[in-house]
């Protein structure tokens, strides 16, 4: 179900439209990168290190070079400076420790799966066969694998750097002027309130997109053309130019149809750089497509944090302070934006709650594992998980319903716009309405009563009810904000609208799709704004020669940033057409009004269609001398703020206390995403996000053995859920419009993933509280649930074991302190900007 939209005849915004791009995708009449075939094209295969950390003592390519149809074999020693190095676009601090990231190292490997040689042959099969013949000798080195041990510099991932610590980034509300002193708040709560300390593990995840990464490079024209299964064609072009010395004007990057990304294709990769270099060396087109095992092993991973949190509250349960300490595993290199991903979460740990004091500290750490970067939500899911788990812990300590405790602390709808303790201004929202709707649809009170009966009867299968109320900062954009955080690019977006002489509309956007339905949603916007048929709008994207300006797709920015640029371009088209129409109608431009695709004289039946104006402007036989021919227009938009979708998610899980099996029984969510453009697309986005977030809670985890080998290196071991593993979801939307864009839209692509993980884990823990269980480390496998039940103390639900603290690997436990006393402070934060260091 979605929010009702009052439709007018021909209205497109708010209408269910099947995606116009799906026909070619479903029938296979499309071009994935791997489908591209060029005359004389060669194929690449990679030889990858089996060791997490080792010195390369020799690489013997002689046997491989003699294999059938092998054209060339290269090792790291063969590369020259023209190959370039991979870039880190987000140096968090001036003293950040950043190892050089070569496309292929010559002397030392730093994670299992790093490329040590490239074989080029006339077919992909022949290249793979010959790669087996490359003989590499290694001297294995100690590997930094455990995040906490790496933070202590026990073993160095890069011995030449002298430390594993990359960057320390801190935000403090007292220093930033956005709130009070968190240590004082905690001290006061220890004396006269409640202090809850917990430590949570965000396991390492793999994006596991449907289409493996693939790249084709053609060096034979005036421009070097690269096709890549990427989310970021414009950024990729810039990075190639910046590191190889080739002028940007001589580089064309094309992202054809891309089969999923989830942040995993928000990257510049060694494979792209090597394909680029090999093609230029040989003067022939080359292609590389990874295997699924290579994708799981060597494409970047996500999450991977230890989170230590301290929440202070008064004895009535009003929150008074929040302290967050993170360890973030970067893997062996600082990826494109990987170092900054945890900082995106820094502004969201306070979530929808009115914390008077807040402190955030993040230490990023290098290890000998595959590098980490953005994964659906990028920092926001990690933050939401932690605070929503903590709010459930506070409710358990108080012996109150978790929704009641949340309601006591959240921002009320009449308080918007609201400046959070992290310094962000939330422009709109209604947490009360979303929660009331979710409770009614879910049957919350009835399920709580069933839970009570099952507990009293000591049923073998216990019922748990999970709650997650979230908001996120999305529409990643404001260039000034990104600049204040030392991000290496802007956040604006570009669009152009071309009114063709035939009456059709050609739209070029700087964002590109990898499954989101851009071509459909953008067509709906243009059709409504210009009053033209939906079918007459063509959306072009993903090719830097056609779409010459843009900053690509990530962070739920396509609609709220790219869509707003498109709206502004359509408005400019109408403004330019107005002067033509005034000339054609012999009227004053100020007397004209635009409605349903026509410009007409107000109060009369004199009007002319926009498509007629486009034809007249194309011919240019008769137009005012002081205007240029044509009514095409373009716009570049840089938001002044993020936008803040929110929602309430509720789930019921059944836990078999004898086997540890967790079954989803019911899941209901109500998401406020502002104006809905296409309800059908929104529902698909939410469903996909829910499954991805639930998968983190219950199934997915990248696991390495003691030597650093990825043992979950196939879908046999890395448990991506299927439709059979999930249930039908009850999804709904409501709308408090964003105030920062014309349409009032908010992001939706990451919402389901952000909210669902803590919702499910809260449900599992809720089912097990009678057994004294206060946490189950994700994924909540049957074995872990079973072990938690047997480790708990039945009937004790006020204290619980947590994982070891960062600085005491031997095992301090998380704890809850509660004392009686007077009420603590409950106020909101001051409205002051501030950024941490």
């Amino acid at each position: 179900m979605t929010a009702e939209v009052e439709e007018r005849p021909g209205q497109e915004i708010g209408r269910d439209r099947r995606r116009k791009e799906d026909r070619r995708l479903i029938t296979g009449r499309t071009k994935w990168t791997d489908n591209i075939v060029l005359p004389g094209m060669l194929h690449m295969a990679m030889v990858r290190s089996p060791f997490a950390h080792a010195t390369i003592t020799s690489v013997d390519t002689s046997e491989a070079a003699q294999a059938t149809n092998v054209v060339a074999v290269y090792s790291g020693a063969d590369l020259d400076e023209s190959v370039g190095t991979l870039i880190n676009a987000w140096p968090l601090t001036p003293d950040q420790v950043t190892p050089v990231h070569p496309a292929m190292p010559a002397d030392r490997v730093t994670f299992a799966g790093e490329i040590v040689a490239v074989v080029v042959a006339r077919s992909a099969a022949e290249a793979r066969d010959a790669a087996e013949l490359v003989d590499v000798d290694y001297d294995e080195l100690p590997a930094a694998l455990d995040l906490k041990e790496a933070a202590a510099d026990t073993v160095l991932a890069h011995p030449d750097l002298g430390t594993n610590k990359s960057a320390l980034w801190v935000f403090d509300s007292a220093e930033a002027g956005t709130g009070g002193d968190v240590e004082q708040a905690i001290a006061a709560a220890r004396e006269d309130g409640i202090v809850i300390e917990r430590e949570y593990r965000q396991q390492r995840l793999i994006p596991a997109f449907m289409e493996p990464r693939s790249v084709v490079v053609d060096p034979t024209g005036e421009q070097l053309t690269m096709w890549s299964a990427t989310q970021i064609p414009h950024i990729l072009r810039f990075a190639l130019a910046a590191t190889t010395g080739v002028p940007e004007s001589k580089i064309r990057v094309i992202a054809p149809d891309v089969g999923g990304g989830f942040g995993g294709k928000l990257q510049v990769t060694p494979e792209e750089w090597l394909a680029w270099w090999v093609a230029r060396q040989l003067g022939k087109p080359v292609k590389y497509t990874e295997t699924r095992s290579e994708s799981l092993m060597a494409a970047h991973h996500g999450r991977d944090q230890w989170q230590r949190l301290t929440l202070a509250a008064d004895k009535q349960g009003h929150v008074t302070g929040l302290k967050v300490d993170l360890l973030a595993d970067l893997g062996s290199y600082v990826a494109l934006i990987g170092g900054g991903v945890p900082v995106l979460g820094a502004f969201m740990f306070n979530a929808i709650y009115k914390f008077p004091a807040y402190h955030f500290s993040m230490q990023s750490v290098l290890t000998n594992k595959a590098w980490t970067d953005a994964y659906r939500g990028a920092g926001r899911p990690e933050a939401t998980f932690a605070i929503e788990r903590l709010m459930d812990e506070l409710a358990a300590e108080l012996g109150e319903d978790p929704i009641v405790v949340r309601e006591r602390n959240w921002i009320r709808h009449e308080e918007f716009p609201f400046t959070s303790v992290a310094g962000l201004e939330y422009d709109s929202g209604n947490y009360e309405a979303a929660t009331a709707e979710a409770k009614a649809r879910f049957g919350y009170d009835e399920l709580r009563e069933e839970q009570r009966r099952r507990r009293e009867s000591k049923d073998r299968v216990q019922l748990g009810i999970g709650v997650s109320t979230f908001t996120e900062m999305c529409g990643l954009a404001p260039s000034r904000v990104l600049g204040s955080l030392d991000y290496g690019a802007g956040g604006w977006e570009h669009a152009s609208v071309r009114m063709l002489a035939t009456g059709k509309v050609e739209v070029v956007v700087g964002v590109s799709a990898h499954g989101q339905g851009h071509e459909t949603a953008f067509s709906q916007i243009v059709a409504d704004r210009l009053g033209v048929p939906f079918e007459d709008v063509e959306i072009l994207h993903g090719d830097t020669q056609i779409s010459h300006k843009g900053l690509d797709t990530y962070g739920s920015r396509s609609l709220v940033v790219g869509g707003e640029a498109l709206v502004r371009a359509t408005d400019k088209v109408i403004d330019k057409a107005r002067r033509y129409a005034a000339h054609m109608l012999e009227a004053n431009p100020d007397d004209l009004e635009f409605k349903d695709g026509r410009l007409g004289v107000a109060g009369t039946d004199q009007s002319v269609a926009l498509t007629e104006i486009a034809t007249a402007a194309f011919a240019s036989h008769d137009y005012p001398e002081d205007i240029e021919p044509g009514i095409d227009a373009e716009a570049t938009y840089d938001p002044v703020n993020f936008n803040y979708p929110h929602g309430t998610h509720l789930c019921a899980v059944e836990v078999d206390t004898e086997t540890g099996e967790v079954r989803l029984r019911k899941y209901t969510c109500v998401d406020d995403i502002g104006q809905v453009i296409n309800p059908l697309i929104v529902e698909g986005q939410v469903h996909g996000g829910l499954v991805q977030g639930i998968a983190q809670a219950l199934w997915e985890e990248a696991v390495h053995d003691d030597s650093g080998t990825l043992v979950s290196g196939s879908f046999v071991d890395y448990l991506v859920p299927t439709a059979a593993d999930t249930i039908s979801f009850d999804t709904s939307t409501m709308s408090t419009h964003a105030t920062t864009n014309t349409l009032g839209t908010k992001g939706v692509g990451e919402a389901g993933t952000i909210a669902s993980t803590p919702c499910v884990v809260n449900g599992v823990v809720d089912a097990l509280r009678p057994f004294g269980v206060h946490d189950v480390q994700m994924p909540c496998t049957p074995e872990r649930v079973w072990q938690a039940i047997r480790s708990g103390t039945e009937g004790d639900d006020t204290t619980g074991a947590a994982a070891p603290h960062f600085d005491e690997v031997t095992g301090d436990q998380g704890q809850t302190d509660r004392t009686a006393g007077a009420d603590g402070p409950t106020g909101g934060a001051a409205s002051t900007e501030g950024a941490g260091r």
Side-chain angles (χ1 to χ4, degrees):
M1 175 184 172
T2 59
E4 292 185 5
V5 177
E6 183 181 348
E7 289 193 11
R8 64 178 188 274
Q11 179 179 351
E12 286 293 338
I13 291 178
R15 171 177 292 184
D16 280 334
R17 277 278 191 184
R18 292 194 176 187
R19 303 194 316 180
K20 58 168 63 177
E21 52 267 65
D22 280 352
R23 180 180 295 276
R24 70 175 189 272
L25 298 175
I26 292 170
T27 61
R29 297 177 182 273
T30 185
K31 279 197 174 181
W32 311 109
T33 303
D34 191 44
N35 291 345
I36 293 169
V37 178
L38 301 176
M41 186 171 71
L42 303 174
H43 296 263
M44 297 168 51
M46 307 300 176
V47 180
R48 297 181 182 274
S49 168
F51 298 108
H53 196 198
T55 300
I56 303 170
T57 58
S58 68
V59 181
D60 184 353
T61 63
S62 58
E63 189 175 356
Q66 298 301 314
T68 303
N69 283 329
V70 168
V71 175
V73 185
Y74 301 103
S75 68
D78 297 315
L79 302 184
D80 56 39
E81 293 182 358
S82 67
V83 71
T85 57
L86 280 71
I87 65 171
N88 164 233
W90 199 344
L92 284 180
T93 62
D95 59 351
Q96 173 177 292
V97 175
T98 308
V100 175
H101 191 170
M104 183 165 60
D107 55 355
R108 185 169 54 89
V109 293
T110 57
F111 71 95
E114 189 159 19
I115 301 166
V116 295
V118 179
V119 176
V120 188
R122 300 196 184 279
S123 74
E126 289 167 327
R128 287 194 293 269
D129 288 344
E132 298 288 336
L133 303 177
V134 176
D135 186 13
V136 185
D137 282 336
Y138 301 92
D139 281 341
E140 190 172 2
L141 300 169
L145 299 172
D146 180 87
L147 177 54
K148 293 181 179 180
E149 291 180 4
D153 288 334
T154 305
V155 176
L156 295 181
H158 295 267
D160 55 309
L161 299 179
T163 182
N164 293 325
K165 298 182 180 69
S166 179
L168 175 65
W169 195 93
V170 177
F171 177 92
D172 187 273
S173 62
E175 293 181 5
T178 58
D181 185 288
V182 75
E183 296 297 346
Q184 292 180 7
I186 293 170
R190 291 195 192 280
E191 292 292 325
D192 204 15
I194 303 168
V195 174
I196 295 176
E197 296 176 283
R198 293 290 185 269
E199 192 162 353
Y200 298 124
R201 175 71 170 134
Q202 282 281 326
Q203 77 269 38
R204 178 174 280 241
L205 299 177
I206 302 174
F209 28 73
M210 183 178 291
E211 175 205 22
R213 297 174 303 162
S214 184
V215 57
V216 174
V217 177
D218 183 1
T220 59
E222 285 296 316
Q223 285 183 310
L224 286 93
T225 302
M226 175 183 284
W227 291 262
S228 181
T230 182
Q231 298 176 219
I232 52 168
H234 295 90
I235 293 173
L236 176 54
R237 180 179 67 166
F238 167 80
L240 282 168
T243 64
T244 66
V246 176
E248 196 169 352
S249 62
K250 294 295 184 181
I251 302 172
R252 179 183 185 184
V253 175
I254 302 171
D257 286 312
V258 175
F262 313 120
K265 293 174 182 172
L266 169 55
Q267 198 53 258
V268 294
T269 70
E271 293 84 357
E272 289 164 333
W273 260 241
L274 289 172
W276 164 274
W277 184 82
V278 169
R280 296 182 71 198
Q281 293 297 304
L282 299 177
K284 293 183 178 181
V286 299
K287 177 194 288 186
Y288 169 76
T289 300
E290 67 186 2
T291 65
R292 180 61 64 185
S293 293
E294 285 181 298
S295 179
L296 295 175
M297 175 172 58
H300 81 244
H301 296 171
R303 312 284 195 253
D304 207 345
Q305 296 179 356
W306 277 107
Q307 306 172 317
R308 181 173 59 188
L309 302 106
T310 304
L311 183 146
D314 66 22
K315 64 176 182 176
Q316 285 77 35
H318 299 99
V319 295
T320 58
L322 179 64
K323 183 178 181 182
V324 179
D325 290 300
L326 292 189
L327 284 182
D329 191 341
L330 298 178
S332 66
Y333 296 109
V334 187
L336 183 68
I337 62 169
V341 165
V343 170
L344 292 175
F347 300 98
M348 286 286 102
F349 275 90
N350 50 283
I352 66 173
Y353 307 113
K354 294 183 284 191
F355 280 97
Y358 174 56
H359 179 91
F360 172 91
S361 175
M362 187 279 296
Q363 177 66 65
S364 58
V365 179
L366 297 162
T367 63
N368 292 119
K369 291 184 281 189
W371 22 308
T372 59
D373 208 315
Y375 175 61
R376 197 169 187 172
R380 282 73 53 81
E382 296 92 311
T384 300
F385 177 85
I387 188 57
E388 288 305 288
R389 289 287 295 113
L390 274 185
M391 294 306 289
D392 258 36
E393 294 299 289
L394 178 59
E397 170 62 22
L398 292 165
E400 294 186 346
D401 185 285
I403 292 181
V404 171
V405 174
R406 286 168 168 81
E407 184 177 10
R408 184 176 299 143
N409 288 287
W410 69 35
I411 304 157
R412 309 293 300 184
H413 72 274
E414 63 269 14
E415 295 178 282
F416 289 99
F418 183 89
T419 300
S420 77
V421 73
L424 298 182
E425 184 178 279
Y426 299 175
D427 63 324
S428 67
N430 193 327
Y431 310 141
E432 308 98 294
T435 303
E437 174 73 9
K439 286 181 66 177
R441 297 175 68 91
F442 185 67
Y444 186 83
D445 294 336
E446 293 84 352
L447 284 166
R448 282 292 184 196
E449 177 59 24
E450 179 185 342
Q451 180 187 56
R452 184 191 63 78
R453 293 196 303 268
R454 287 199 187 191
R455 287 183 173 180
E456 288 180 352
S457 65
K458 297 189 181 297
D459 196 318
R460 164 181 166 172
V461 179
Q462 287 291 307
L463 179 66
I465 297 173
V467 178
S468 176
T469 50
F470 84 102
T471 189
E472 61 160 321
M473 52 182 279
C474 69
L476 291 183
S479 296
R480 290 179 178 84
V481 174
L482 296 177
S484 73
L485 297 172
D486 295 321
Y487 181 67
W492 50 264
E493 199 45 73
H494 185 78
S496 64
V497 177
R498 302 168 182 166
M499 300 298 300
L500 305 181
T502 56
K504 311 300 184 182
V505 185
E506 192 174 70
V507 174
V508 181
V509 292
V511 294
S512 59
H514 40 278
Q516 295 90 338
H518 288 178
E519 293 174 33
T520 303
F522 289 157
S523 293
Q524 290 178 270
I525 292 171
V526 172
D528 257 16
R529 301 294 292 189
L530 298 183
V532 298
F534 168 82
E535 295 77 12
D536 287 352
V537 182
E538 184 77 16
I539 308 295
L540 304 177
H541 60 86
D543 183 339
T544 60
Q545 188 145 297
I546 295 172
S547 170
H548 64 282
K549 291 178 66 176
L551 285 171
D552 306 319
T553 299
Y554 41 86
S556 295
R557 70 188 303 272
S558 295
L559 179 60
V560 297
V561 187
E564 178 66 15
L566 183 54
V567 166
R568 295 184 179 210
T570 60
D571 289 348
K572 288 182 178 181
V573 166
I574 295 168
D575 287 342
K576 293 178 78 172
R578 186 179 302 276
R579 297 193 64 188
Y580 272 94
H583 181 72
M584 295 167 73
L585 296 172
E586 297 182 343
N588 188 316
D590 295 337
D591 294 335
L592 300 184
E593 59 181 9
F594 183 76
K595 183 177 181 182
D596 297 332
R598 302 184 71 86
L599 277 159
V601 180
T604 75
D605 59 359
Q606 298 181 59
S607 66
V608 60
L610 190 63
T611 52
E612 296 176 68
I613 299 171
T615 302
F618 169 76
S620 296
H621 294 160
D622 181 21
Y623 64 93
E625 292 182 359
D626 60 340
I627 63 173
E628 62 184 18
I631 59 172
D632 299 345
E634 58 184 279
T636 302
Y637 171 63
D638 195 347
V640 297
N641 194 4
F642 302 103
N643 72 87
Y644 301 93
H646 69 85
T648 297
H649 289 224
L650 303 171
C651 76
V653 300
E654 293 184 325
V655 181
D656 188 321
T657 59
E658 292 188 8
T659 67
E661 181 182 9
V662 177
R663 291 191 185 96
L664 292 173
R665 174 170 158 184
K666 188 172 186 179
Y667 198 106
T668 296
C669 62
V670 177
D671 290 303
D672 184 340
I673 59 170
Q675 172 68 62
V676 174
I677 304 301
N678 185 316
L680 190 63
I681 290 178
V682 165
E683 188 173 12
Q685 288 271 22
V686 172
H687 275 238
L690 291 178
V691 172
Q692 215 151 1
I694 293 168
Q696 178 177 7
L698 297 180
W699 300 299
E700 293 187 28
E701 182 176 24
V703 179
H704 295 79
D705 64 17
D706 291 341
S707 64
T709 300
L710 181 69
V711 297
S712 53
S714 76
F715 285 156
V716 173
D717 301 298
Y718 189 80
L719 303 182
V720 175
T722 68
D725 298 306
T726 59
I727 60 174
S728 294
F729 304 120
D730 175 21
T731 66
S732 178
T733 62
M734 58 181 298
S735 178
T736 55
H737 282 203
T739 63
T740 54
N741 63 73
T742 303
L743 296 175
T745 55
K746 302 177 183 180
V748 69
E750 298 162 311
T753 304
I754 290 171
S756 59
T757 306
C759 188
V760 171
V761 175
N762 278 340
V764 172
V765 175
D766 185 57
L768 302 182
R769 285 202 186 274
F771 299 88
V773 175
H774 297 271
D775 192 33
V776 179
Q777 186 171 307
M778 295 187 294
C780 300
T781 61
E783 180 184 6
R784 284 179 175 169
V785 171
W786 186 87
Q787 292 285 2
I789 293 170
R790 271 124 194 96
S791 300
T793 305
E794 189 168 352
D796 173 17
D797 61 356
T798 59
T799 62
H805 286 181
F806 306 152
D807 51 355
E808 297 184 65
V809 178
T810 53
D812 276 0
Q813 301 295 307
Q815 60 183 341
T816 303
D817 295 338
R818 186 177 186 186
T819 57
D823 292 351
T826 59
S831 176
T832 309
E833 294 182 358
R837 277 294 178 272

